[in-house]
Amino acid sequence: MKVLIIMGSESDKPIMEESQKYLQYFGIEGEMVVASAHRHPEQVRELCITAKEKGFGVVIAAAGMAAHLPGVVSAFTSLPVLGVPLEGGLPGGIDALYSIVQMPSGVPVGTLAVGKAGARNAAVLAARMFALTNDAIAAKVEAFKQNGYRI
């Protein structure tokens, strides 16, 4: 399985490359796409409704400010969605954090920390999910743990 990483803006790439770096450590293929829930809603919809058939098992969605992208992604897919709030609005990204974590019942988004820590942890959490059915990834997760949670 692969991980689809969707971000709302090109300027989010330096942060979300942290997810990609950690996924590579665990031996998981990740594909990064810039697609805004506001500027490219049809592209986001298409990515989400075809993700499972394209071999994706988890979607990491990152956005700042109003941060609607993770919630929109969750509405369009039944795959696990991990939301990474990014700074850009209120100090510390608190607006994005609240927007992602406060999803209505039935449309969950697993919400991580703001910024790089959240991007890294989204990849680690995806690896832990895949480790349930993949022994090679499980071994890498255990090695990561034994190394003090560092790659």
Side-chain angles (χ1 to χ4, degrees):
M1 278 199 221
K2 309 181 286 185
V3 174
L4 177 59
I5 303 168
I6 305 176
M7 64 206 82
S9 173
E10 191 73 30
S11 63
D12 300 335
K13 270 191 178 176
I15 300 294
M16 297 317 296
E17 285 171 346
E18 293 294 315
S19 284
Q20 189 79 299
K21 181 170 74 173
Y22 273 63
L23 289 172
Q24 288 170 351
Y25 168 83
F26 291 110
I28 299 169
E29 183 181 342
E31 182 178 320
M32 293 178 67
V33 179
V34 175
S36 166
H38 302 112
R39 293 182 294 275
H40 311 105
E42 288 303 316
Q43 181 186 10
V44 170
R45 179 185 173 280
E46 184 65 22
L47 286 165
C48 294
I49 64 173
T50 62
K52 192 171 183 178
E53 70 189 44
K54 291 180 179 176
F56 294 103
V58 169
V59 180
I60 297 173
M65 299 174 70
H68 293 123
L69 182 61
V72 169
V73 168
S74 186
F76 282 125
T77 186
S78 59
L79 295 174
V81 177
L82 305 176
V84 179
L86 301 174
E87 291 193 45
L90 295 175
I94 195 79
D95 50 345
L97 176 64
Y98 284 154
S99 292
I100 296 172
V101 79
Q102 287 294 106
M103 288 299 297
S105 178
V107 189
V109 174
T111 308
L112 286 301
V114 176
K116 283 187 180 183
R120 291 171 182 155
N121 279 342
V124 174
L125 190 52
R128 287 180 174 191
M129 290 174 178
F130 290 174
L132 294 171
T133 58
N134 183 308
D135 291 338
I137 295 173
K140 290 293 271 188
V141 168
E142 187 58 34
F144 177 74
K145 179 181 169 197
Q146 295 303 317
N147 194 43
Y149 301 99
R150 292 185 305 268
I151 61 172

